[in-house]
Amino acid sequence: MKKTTSLLLLFLSAIVYCQDDDFAQRLKAINTQSATYYNIDGVDFSSQTYNYDFSEKSLKKIYKKFDIKDSDLKTKDESLSNNNLHVVKTNNVTDNLIQTNSYYFIEDNSKTITIIWFGYYNKPDGDFEKQYINRILKNEIPKNVFESMTIDSIGFVGRKIKLGNNCAWTNVNTVQCPYNGEMNWSVHKNIEGAKASIENQFNITKSGGGIKVVSEEQTAVVFEGTETTAKKVVFDFTGMKSLLAGTSGGKTLTVYYVAEKVRDNYVSCVMSFWNNDNLTKGGLAPLLEEVMHLKI
C-alpha cells in the first residue's frame, strides 16, 4: 500500500510540474552586456549583477543607480533563502492605472549582489516574483527562451519570421524596423491577460504629455490567419518634444492593438508606424504585414 501511495504522489507531482512547465513556451529573454531582460504574461523584468559584497556601503552605491532614496522603505523578504532587501515603488499613470516597480537586492550564490526588477501595472504579484527570482538564481531559465541580439529572423509565437538585418530589438519581444514599422507582443496564460495588456499600453501612450488621440476605431483584420478585430488609434505627437518622435521625423503614429489566440497561445500585440514610414499596397508598414492584414 505504501508503494502504491508513493507512486500516486509521484504521478500527481509530475502533473503539477507539467502544468507549470509551459512557462518556457511563454517566456522570452535577451542578454545584453550589462543585464538580462525577460517578458512573460505581459510582465517585464530584468536581472543585473554587480561585483560588490552585500554590505550597506555597497548597497548605497547601487541604490543611486536605481533611483532608490534613503526614505524608501526597504524590507527583507523572509520567504527567500538568500539574504535580500526589497523595495517597491509605485506611480499613478492614470486614475485607474498604477505602475509598480518591484526591486530585489539579493546576495546571490557567488556572494555578490544581483538586482532583480519587476515592472507591471496595478496589483503586485509576490508569488510570481519569487517564482522567477528562484529560477534566475538557480539558473533554471531554459537556453531556448533567449533571442539573439543580432536580428535576421524572429520567433513569433512559434513561427519564424525572416526580417533581414535592418531591424533591431528595443526590448524583449519588441522589434523596430526603421521606416518599416515596430511591434511588441507578449504571450499570456489566458485571453483576459492579453486584453488587459493592450488596454494598459493604450492608456499609457494616451496619458503621455503632449500626445493627442486623433481617432480611435475598431477595425476588422486577419491576424496570424485568424479573423479578428483590432483597435486602431492615431496619435498626434506634434505637441511632444520626444526622442521617439524626433528620431523618426514623424508627427502622427498609427497603432493597432490586438489580443487573440494564436497557435494555442494567447497573444497581446501592439503594432505601429509613423506617417512618414513606408507603406504597402495593403495600407500597412511592411513589418506589420508579416503578422496582420486589413480585412477588405
Side-chain angles (χ1 to χ4, degrees):
M1 182 67 179
K2 185 182 288 185
K3 185 176 181 181
T4 304
T5 304
S6 299
L7 287 172
L8 179 60
L9 289 172
L10 181 63
F11 177 68
L12 290 173
S13 297
I15 291 175
V16 172
Y17 175 80
C18 289
Q19 286 175 338
D20 187 53
D21 196 43
D22 71 342
F23 84 91
Q25 305 299 318
R26 307 192 313 277
L27 180 66
K28 281 297 180 183
I30 54 174
N31 263 322
T32 68
Q33 291 182 341
S34 59
T36 303
Y37 298 91
Y38 307 87
N39 178 279
I40 186 172
D41 299 338
V43 179
D44 288 315
F45 57 106
S46 67
S47 63
Q48 190 170 0
T49 299
Y50 287 85
N51 192 26
Y52 297 153
D53 64 309
F54 193 85
S55 65
E56 186 177 350
K57 182 179 179 180
S58 298
L59 287 166
K60 281 188 175 182
K61 290 181 183 178
I62 297 175
Y63 289 155
K64 292 179 181 179
K65 299 176 185 291
F66 292 87
D67 197 29
I68 306 296
K69 298 178 173 57
D70 292 340
S71 57
D72 289 328
L73 180 63
K74 304 167 185 70
T75 60
K76 181 176 181 179
D77 191 324
E78 298 290 351
S79 67
L80 294 173
S81 57
N82 294 61
N83 196 12
N84 70 88
L85 284 173
H86 182 208
V87 180
V88 178
K89 302 188 75 170
T90 59
N91 174 48
N92 291 339
V93 180
T94 68
D95 291 340
N96 300 315
L97 188 63
I98 300 172
Q99 181 182 23
T100 298
N101 289 294
S102 181
Y103 301 89
Y104 291 83
F105 299 85
I106 302 168
E107 184 177 26
D108 58 36
N109 299 331
S110 299
K111 300 300 179 183
T112 54
I113 300 176
T114 291
I115 300 93
I116 301 179
W117 161 83
F118 297 87
Y120 43 89
Y121 298 93
N122 294 328
K123 187 179 178 181
D125 188 342
D127 291 338
F128 174 91
E129 294 175 3
K130 292 172 186 62
Q131 186 177 51
Y132 281 95
I133 287 171
N134 287 321
R135 282 173 173 160
I136 291 169
L137 293 179
K138 293 176 182 179
N139 198 28
E140 293 178 349
I141 303 296
K143 300 297 183 186
N144 65 331
V145 308
F146 288 88
E147 292 277 12
S148 171
M149 286 298 291
T150 303
I151 291 184
D152 173 64
S153 61
I154 61 173
F156 184 78
V157 199
R159 179 172 76 91
K160 283 288 184 183
I161 300 176
K162 194 83 171 174
L163 293 180
N165 56 9
N166 282 333
C167 303
W169 297 113
T170 56
N171 201 344
V172 185
N173 286 354
T174 304
V175 63
Q176 183 183 62
C177 303
Y179 295 101
N180 286 328
E182 180 174 359
M183 70 177 186
N184 72 74
W185 68 96
S186 188
V187 183
H188 303 258
K189 287 183 179 179
N190 50 52
I191 193 63
E192 290 77 17
K195 289 179 178 179
S197 181
I198 60 170
E199 191 62 23
N200 286 342
Q201 289 199 56
F202 167 64
N203 287 327
I204 292 162
T205 303
K206 185 174 66 172
S207 67
I211 300 172
K212 295 180 181 179
V213 175
V214 177
S215 63
E216 178 182 342
E217 62 181 316
Q218 296 297 317
T219 304
V221 299
V222 179
F223 181 73
E224 285 292 277
T226 299
E227 294 187 6
T228 188
T229 302
K231 176 188 280 190
K232 178 187 176 183
V233 183
V234 178
F235 294 99
D236 186 336
F237 278 75
T238 54
M240 181 182 182
K241 295 180 179 178
S242 70
L243 179 63
L244 178 66
T247 301
S248 72
K251 295 182 179 180
T252 61
L253 186 72
T254 300
V255 187
Y256 289 87
Y257 300 85
V258 176
E260 191 51 75
K261 188 175 183 180
V262 176
R263 293 181 285 278
D264 294 324
N265 296 285
Y266 298 100
V267 181
S268 61
C269 189
V270 179
M271 300 153 282
S272 63
F273 57 85
W274 290 98
N275 60 291
N276 60 343
D277 281 354
N278 301 314
L279 296 182
T280 66
K281 291 181 179 179
L284 298 173
L287 176 62
L288 278 63
E289 281 211 338
E290 294 289 346
V291 298
M292 186 181 78
H293 296 275
L294 300 177
K295 188 179 176 184
I296 301 174

